[in-house]
Amino acid sequence: MTRYMIRSKKEREFRECYALHYPAVLGYLVSKVGSIDDAEDICQEVFIRLYGNLEKVRDRRSWLMTAARFEITNYFNKKATARSDAADIDDHQDDPGLAAQDSFAENRIIIRDVIEDPANYEDEKERILFDLIAIYQFSYKEAGRYLDLTRWQAEYKYRRIEKRILARLNEKGIKELGDLL
Amino acid sequence: MSKIEKNGSLGGLLGQYGLDAPLSPEIRARMAGDYDLVYRKISEKTVRPALIAALAAWIFFLVKKAGIPVPLAKMTAAAAVTASVCAGAYIAMNAPMSTPPAQEIAQTVTIRPFVSRSLDAKAGVACAEALRQALDDTYGRGFSRLASGPGMGNSRWAVFGAVEKSAGSVVMIVKIVDARTSRTVFMSEEKCAAQGDCDSAAGRVVKKFAGWKGKTKSPR
């Protein structure tokens, strides 16, 4: 009976975790792999791994993203193809040419640091909302549907995150977004 | 296109710095449609072992309850045989009919046209071509190729570079990335007197590359 309760609790927790992280994990995989079918297969593997480690994992978002990266490497190793399309964009963008040209690479690092700063997000849901809207360009309605928010709640929350990020950029000496664009 | 992109503020900034990864509306619609399907597949895979164990236990106790005189040892042996047969059948059904052969590496190096802000696109292509020629001269024809599309073929290394005008000379910067791990394995910077002199700079880069390659394991 106790085992059953533990199991059902684990499943409930897993379901909640899946609901929260599915769009961001799959979005990341599609952007790297290029094929939605392959991305879905990898997504399954990632979540199956999570299920096996659910009790041990604390920061689930980071864990899932690391597992996704690992599975992507496996995928390309299996396919024996180069990682051209899926290669980390960071490597392309931190290209020596681009770095040499101007402060592009430097600005990019600042922006990435600010975006990754957990202080900008009140909870995991906000972080995922930001990823979905700003990075994967979901509409407020689409993002809200995954996160149990109305379109207006999603927009309101996103605007707040955006304000915090802009304030952080401001602290780093970037007064106007136009300076970076 | 999402509203934020239209508004152009933070979304536009991420796009400008290559920090976004926009998904097309079709992909987003497919993701939403497959939400339940993916979850069902995950559930099937995670629950299956527990389900099989529960079923086995249920059958065992049912047989016991029915009073059929089957000793535990016989029951265990029968279960082991059944499990082996089922596992064999499962593996046979799921094994691919024929494993596709590993693709041969066609060219070891794929060179992307060099980027440039101070010179035109032709200069970038000319530098990439000069480097390709120098690599092929050193390692044999077919060692390298110029990228014709977004892909890298099956190349082991990807070459990215830039060529810029700088105080009366031209600077060529070359970065070689391991295409499978995305790690930068080699970097070099060469100056040449004029834009048309990039052949000699490419030759010097290849010499340095040869030095590095000699110290490392390489597919060729």
Side-chain angles (χ1 to χ4, degrees):
Chain A
M1 186 69 180
T2 317
R3 192 182 287 177
Y4 173 77
M5 280 169 69
I6 292 169
R7 190 172 167 75
S8 66
K9 191 188 163 205
K10 184 183 177 182
E11 269 155 23
R12 197 171 53 244
E13 214 177 315
F14 177 72
R15 204 163 46 236
E16 282 164 10
C17 184
Y18 173 81
L20 195 61
H21 297 284
Y22 163 84
V25 171
L26 187 56
Y28 174 75
L29 289 167
V30 174
S31 71
K32 296 290 177 193
V33 172
S35 150
I36 178 90
D37 293 315
D38 290 346
E40 280 184 353
D41 289 344
I42 301 172
C43 187
Q44 281 176 44
E45 294 303 320
V46 170
F47 276 101
I48 289 168
R49 274 164 166 271
L50 176 71
Y51 187 84
N53 294 284
L54 200 64
E55 298 91 348
K56 297 176 213 158
V57 178
R58 285 189 184 172
D59 183 352
R60 284 176 186 158
R61 184 183 168 275
S62 302
W63 192 95
L64 281 166
M65 288 305 172
T66 308
R69 274 194 286 274
F70 179 78
E71 290 294 341
I72 288 170
T73 311
N74 280 348
Y75 168 83
F76 282 106
N77 284 344
K78 272 184 204 164
K79 283 213 146 190
T81 58
R83 298 185 52 199
S84 59
D85 296 332
D88 274 345
I89 191 160
D90 300 345
D91 290 317
H92 293 274
Q93 295 297 332
D94 295 341
D95 189 278
L98 295 170
Q101 281 161 10
D102 49 24
S103 55
F104 182 95
E106 201 183 314
N107 287 339
R108 191 170 184 273
I109 290 164
I110 293 172
I111 298 166
R112 270 183 64 188
D113 284 351
V114 169
I115 288 170
E116 292 298 327
D117 189 348
N120 293 319
Y121 313 97
E122 277 176 3
D123 52 27
E124 213 170 26
K125 215 177 200 181
E126 281 202 353
R127 176 67 228 241
I128 291 162
L129 181 74
F130 177 79
D131 282 355
L132 294 183
I133 295 173
I135 295 174
Y136 303 116
Q137 297 187 359
F138 282 60
S139 65
Y140 295 122
K141 196 178 170 185
E142 284 171 328
R145 207 178 295 148
Y146 283 111
L147 301 170
D148 279 336
L149 299 170
T150 65
R151 184 227 175 280
W152 304 110
Q153 285 171 327
E155 182 170 1
Y156 174 72
K157 270 183 177 275
Y158 180 78
R159 292 288 175 214
R160 282 180 57 193
I161 302 165
E162 196 179 37
K163 262 187 199 166
R164 272 179 238 139
I165 289 176
L166 294 177
R168 296 274 294 140
L169 282 171
N170 212 320
E171 282 168 21
K172 301 249 174 189
I174 296 158
K175 303 292 174 201
E176 287 289 328
L177 274 188
D179 297 345
L180 296 175
L181 288 166
Chain B
M1 187 184 285
S2 70
K3 194 169 179 181
I4 191 68
E5 197 185 359
K6 279 181 205 161
N7 289 347
S9 53
L10 199 53
L13 184 73
L14 296 185
Q16 173 85 7
Y17 282 85
L19 291 165
D20 65 347
L23 300 175
S24 67
E26 294 78 31
I27 296 276
R28 298 201 306 263
R30 168 89 187 267
M31 281 170 69
D34 287 355
Y35 176 86
D36 285 334
L37 181 78
V38 174
Y39 184 73
R40 217 166 35 241
K41 283 183 181 171
I42 295 167
S43 299
E44 278 170 15
K45 286 180 185 167
T46 51
V47 168
R48 191 172 293 160
L51 189 72
I52 291 167
L55 262 175
W58 179 73
I59 291 167
F60 175 74
F61 287 113
L62 195 74
V63 168
K64 279 284 194 197
K65 206 176 173 184
I68 302 167
V70 183
L72 183 63
K74 272 189 184 175
M75 193 77 168
T76 313
V81 170
T82 314
S84 313
V85 170
C86 289
Y90 179 79
I91 291 165
M93 279 191 294
N94 285 281
M97 295 304 282
S98 61
T99 312
Q103 283 175 288
E104 238 180 83
I105 291 173
Q107 279 92 10
T108 308
V109 178
T110 290
I111 307 165
R112 293 223 142 267
F114 286 19
V115 293
S116 181
R117 280 199 178 171
S118 51
L119 299 167
D120 58 7
K122 276 182 191 169
V125 175
C127 282
E129 176 55 33
L131 189 64
R132 188 197 66 75
Q133 193 62 52
L135 281 168
D136 280 8
D137 288 347
T138 309
Y139 295 106
R141 212 173 154 204
F143 180 79
S144 59
R145 70 172 187 114
L146 281 184
S148 51
M152 289 294 167
N154 293 319
S155 299
R156 180 77 178 84
W157 291 305
V159 177
F160 298 90
V163 55
E164 297 295 349
K165 224 190 247 181
S166 165
S169 61
V170 175
V171 180
M172 183 196 274
I173 305 155
V174 177
K175 178 168 104 168
I176 299 183
V177 172
D178 187 317
R180 290 182 189 169
T181 61
S182 286
R183 281 195 184 153
T184 302
V185 292
F186 174 83
M187 263 182 92
S188 179
E189 186 179 321
E190 290 296 331
K191 265 190 183 178
C192 43
Q195 196 181 325
D197 194 30
C198 59
D199 289 356
S200 59
R204 290 195 295 276
V205 170
V206 171
K207 263 189 192 168
K208 284 186 188 171
F209 173 70
W212 170 80
K213 194 172 171 286
K215 289 179 202 161
T216 186
K217 272 186 178 182
S218 63
R220 275 193 182 180

